[in-house]
């Protein structure tokens, strides 16, 4: 019986590396790897060895005969990926499939002295860089984060009802205790320590600080009370220390989410969830308590394009269609059947289409999520508080009565004192991870390439950056530290003493 990859796939390709018959695709060297929503097992080639399931860091792989409920659909989803593709053919040989010629992308001299490298940021991008450095070099690593708890995006960005996705944090955490690694938590670059002072104590510094700020809508009324960013909501229900426990008001009966990516679906799902279903998750206690008294009955997810072009992934939409106790509806304002568009829109085939009276409050009864496509936000309405959102539609502009508007239209990086910054892209200018005009300084993750790709995408990104760093080290291009790494703690204490 074949195995199948399911919803929580993180695309880090750990399964690809252990598969003896090359039945998991796309692989990192295939063109569509960077854009694929998930990886897929070829049922015609799978030999049921289970190596992929053992290697998966997020428990996303199961035998197809053990799939139940909403996961049962992944038997067909995995097989469907290979309908127009040639199956992998097993060879009668010690290895089940032909190996490519060996490729040595890095050449490190045996006499290269151990490097002292600082990595700033404990999220997936930073930890993939740490993993590469500790497993493939003899470097000593100092891991720094401004927060008192490590984890970054995995800890504070993954929805609490996705515990399997959060499990990748356990894979990263094992490196926290590596003998060549030490951690400095609660240290903020630019406040507790300058970029120059950090660089002076290390051969190289890798910044993995992510893209933590929200993109603005750029429409009138966006700054009204009751209009906020999804980044704040996500941080709130995950217990991020930067967001107060009472920061999110759930007294509105209708909430409009602008944007239809996975973050928007996360927020919609949490705001309409049965609080009891979240009680055993890692949701922040203050968020769970507020959800128990929430008055939210309807969440509207607004997308300017059609369902076939929505930013969310098929696995996340599939999970939304299979929820119990929460109705999913498609606003029929445009007169189109969502499934007629093809692609991921076909998942909405059995979802009810309804013409919604947006001037009326949500109906009493079960909570629901309304997907409204082909509609853009034009103005947040209200004088002293949000009372609605004016949006475009097939029959002209429409006012959606709502007490809260949440923007989920993307992330962008923020400037880091002492480093160059591109305001247009929200990234630190770099070439292959090497920061422009700053010798010995590197970037990885969203601050390097912009907010694109999931957790696993950061692995290849980190490998590129670490490879660039090692090339510079071998070429003698790294600056010589002016002070010893051991002085880092003392300089932090000195700077904190000034305030």
């Amino acid at each position: 019986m074949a195995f199948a990859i399911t919803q929580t796939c993180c695309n880090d390709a750990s399964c690809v590396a252990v598969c003896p018959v090359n039945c998991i695709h796309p692989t990192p060297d295939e063109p569509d790897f960077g854009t694929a929503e998930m990886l897929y097992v070829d049922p015609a080639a799978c030999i049921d060895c289970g190596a992929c399931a053992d290697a998966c860091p997020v428990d996303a792989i199961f035998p197809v005969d053990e799939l139940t409920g909403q996961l049962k659909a992944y038997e067909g989803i995995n097989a469907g990926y290979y309908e127009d593709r040639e199956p992998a053919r097993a060879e009668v040989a010690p290895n089940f499939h032909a190996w490519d010629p060996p490729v040595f992308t890095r050449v490190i001299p045996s006499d290269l002295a151990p490097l002292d490298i600082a990595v700033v940021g404990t999220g997936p991008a930073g930890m993939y860089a740490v993993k590469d450095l500790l497993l493939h070099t003899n470097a000593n690593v100092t891991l720094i984060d401004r927060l008192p708890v490590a984890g970054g995006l995995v800890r504070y960005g993954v929805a609490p009802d996705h515990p399997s996705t959060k499990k990748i944090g356990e894979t990263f955490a094992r490196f926290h205790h590596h003998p060549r690694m030490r951690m400095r938590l609660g240290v903020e670059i630019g406040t507790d320590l300058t970029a120059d002072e950090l660089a002076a104590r290390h051969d190289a510094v890798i910044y993995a600080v992510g893209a933590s700020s929200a993109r603005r809508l750029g429409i009138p009324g966006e700054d009204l009370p009751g209009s906020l960013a999804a980044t704040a909501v996500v941080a709130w229900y995950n217990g991020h220390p930067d967001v107060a426990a009472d920061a999110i008001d759930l007294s509105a009966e209708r909430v409009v989410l602008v944007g239809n990516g996975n973050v928007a679906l996360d927020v919609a799902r949490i705001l309409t969830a049965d609080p009891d279903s979240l009680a055993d998750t890692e949701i922040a206690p203050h968020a769970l308590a507020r959800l128990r008294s929430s008055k939210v009955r309807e969440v509207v997810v607004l997308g300017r394009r059609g369902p076939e072009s929505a930013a969310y992934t098929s696995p996340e939409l599939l999970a939304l269609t299979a929820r119990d106790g929460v109705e999913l509806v498609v606003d029929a304002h445009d007169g189109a059947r969502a499934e007629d568009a093809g692609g991921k829109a076909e998942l909405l085939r059995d979802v009810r289409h309804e013409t919604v009276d947006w001037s009326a409050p949500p109906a009493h009864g079960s909570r629901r999520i309304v997907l409204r496509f082909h509609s853009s936000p034009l103005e947040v309405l209200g004088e002293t508080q949000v009372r609605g959102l004016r949006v475009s539609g097939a029959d002209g502009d429409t006012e959606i009565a709502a007490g809260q508007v949440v923007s989920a239209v993307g992330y962008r990086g923020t400037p880091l004192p002492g480093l160059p910054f591109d305001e247009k892209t929200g990234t630190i200018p770099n070439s292959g991870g090497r920061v422009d005009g700053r010798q010995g300084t590197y970037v990885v993750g969203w601050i390097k390439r912009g907010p694109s790709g999931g957790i696993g995408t950061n692995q290849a990104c980190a490998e590129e950056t670490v490879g660039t760093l090692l090339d510079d080290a071998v070429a003698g291009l790294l600056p010589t530290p002016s002070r010893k790494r051991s002085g880092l703690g003392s300089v932090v204490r000195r700077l904190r003493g000034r305030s």
Side-chain angles (χ1 to χ4, degrees):
M1 185 64 67
F3 280 70
I5 300 175
T6 63
Q7 176 187 353
T8 57
C9 175
C10 69
N11 292 53
D12 85 336
S14 296
C15 53
V16 174
V18 299
C19 177
V21 292
N22 193 31
C23 75
I24 302 175
H25 297 271
T27 62
D29 57 346
E30 292 174 345
D32 51 346
F33 177 78
T35 57
E37 293 184 335
M38 55 180 282
L39 307 185
Y40 307 86
V41 174
D42 182 354
C46 178
I47 61 171
D48 193 24
C49 68
C52 56
D54 293 337
C56 179
V58 293
D59 292 345
I61 307 178
F62 304 92
V64 295
D65 60 348
E66 294 181 12
L67 297 175
T68 59
Q70 68 183 52
L71 296 185
K72 185 65 179 173
Y74 285 92
E75 178 180 4
I77 290 172
N78 278 253
Y81 180 79
Y82 295 94
E83 286 182 353
D84 299 320
R85 300 169 188 263
E86 287 291 326
R89 299 184 181 277
E91 301 288 343
V92 181
N95 293 318
F96 291 103
H97 65 87
W99 295 99
D100 292 329
V103 176
F104 301 97
T105 57
R106 296 176 182 168
V107 179
I108 305 175
S110 59
D111 59 348
L112 182 67
L115 300 171
D116 285 333
I117 299 174
V119 177
V120 182
T122 58
M127 291 310 302
Y128 277 124
V130 167
K131 173 185 175 181
D132 197 354
L133 289 167
L134 293 179
L135 296 186
H136 303 131
T137 78
N138 59 355
N140 299 298
V141 177
T142 300
L143 183 60
I144 299 170
D145 201 293
R146 72 178 186 87
L147 298 177
V149 179
L153 177 67
V154 173
R155 173 65 182 84
Y156 295 113
V158 175
D161 60 348
H162 281 6
S164 293
T165 304
K166 284 182 175 287
K167 284 194 68 174
I168 198 169
E170 298 174 11
T171 301
F172 295 144
R174 66 192 178 101
F175 293 102
H176 295 170
H177 308 288
H178 192 283
R180 285 187 283 112
M181 217 270 281
R182 64 179 183 175
M183 298 182 69
R184 290 284 186 265
L185 300 178
V187 175
E188 184 172 6
I189 305 303
T191 300
D192 300 316
L193 192 68
T194 68
D196 287 340
E197 286 169 324
L198 184 62
R201 287 165 172 78
H202 297 85
D203 295 295
V205 180
I206 300 175
Y207 287 91
V209 294
S212 58
S213 66
R215 293 185 182 276
R216 292 180 59 83
L217 294 174
I219 61 175
E222 184 175 7
D223 295 320
L224 277 171
S227 173
L228 66 157
T231 51
V233 182
V234 172
W236 171 75
Y237 61 58
N238 278 315
H240 196 293
D242 287 353
V243 179
D246 61 353
I248 306 301
D249 180 8
L250 300 181
S251 62
E253 294 184 338
R254 177 182 286 139
V255 176
V256 179
L257 271 161
V258 180
N260 57 11
N262 283 350
V263 172
L265 295 196
D266 284 348
V267 174
R269 203 174 56 249
I270 296 299
L271 293 186
T272 56
D274 178 353
D276 288 341
S277 70
L278 299 172
D280 293 328
T281 71
E282 294 183 2
I283 190 171
H286 62 255
L288 182 61
R290 183 149 294 192
L291 286 169
R292 291 192 184 280
S293 61
S294 170
K295 295 183 179 179
V296 175
R297 299 206 306 271
E298 181 177 275
V299 176
V300 182
V301 180
L302 192 72
R304 62 183 177 86
R305 296 181 294 180
E308 75 285 358
S309 303
Y312 52 64
T313 59
S314 297
E316 290 301 317
L317 179 60
L318 178 62
L320 203 64
T321 64
R323 294 178 79 200
D324 294 326
V326 179
E327 184 182 15
L328 183 64
V329 175
V330 174
D331 182 359
H333 77 99
D334 55 1
R337 293 292 301 180
E339 65 271 19
D340 292 341
K344 68 181 75 174
E346 293 181 1
L347 296 173
L348 298 171
R349 180 176 301 279
D350 297 324
V351 175
R352 185 164 64 89
H353 289 55
E354 172 188 316
T355 300
V356 183
D357 179 3
W358 292 116
S359 64
H364 288 277
S366 63
R367 293 176 177 175
R368 72 175 194 169
I369 296 173
V370 181
L371 304 178
R372 179 180 169 93
F373 299 103
H374 298 118
S375 186
S376 298
L378 302 174
E379 181 183 6
V380 180
L381 304 173
E383 295 181 1
T384 60
Q385 175 72 30
V386 170
R387 64 170 179 80
L389 181 69
R390 186 165 60 88
V391 302
S392 64
D395 296 326
D397 296 354
T398 299
E399 290 188 9
I400 299 177
Q404 191 169 77
V405 173
V406 180
S407 169
V409 293
Y411 294 78
R412 61 176 281 113
T414 56
L416 199 65
L419 299 184
F421 187 75
D422 187 330
E423 288 288 350
K424 183 177 181 180
T425 63
T427 61
I428 293 176
N430 70 92
S431 177
R434 183 189 300 109
V435 174
D436 294 352
R438 192 169 175 95
Q439 195 176 30
T441 302
Y442 303 84
V443 285
V444 66
W446 282 5
I447 197 63
K448 169 187 172 182
R449 65 181 190 273
S452 63
I455 290 174
T457 309
N458 291 297
Q459 180 159 254
C461 181
E463 289 174 357
E464 180 188 48
T465 293
V466 172
T468 299
L469 187 159
L470 294 175
D471 287 344
D472 289 349
V474 172
L477 299 178
L478 296 182
T480 302
S482 59
R483 301 182 184 181
K484 292 185 177 180
R485 184 172 67 134
S486 59
L488 184 60
S490 62
V491 73
V492 170
R493 289 190 294 271
R494 174 173 55 80
L495 288 171
R496 285 178 174 170
R498 294 175 182 172
S499 57

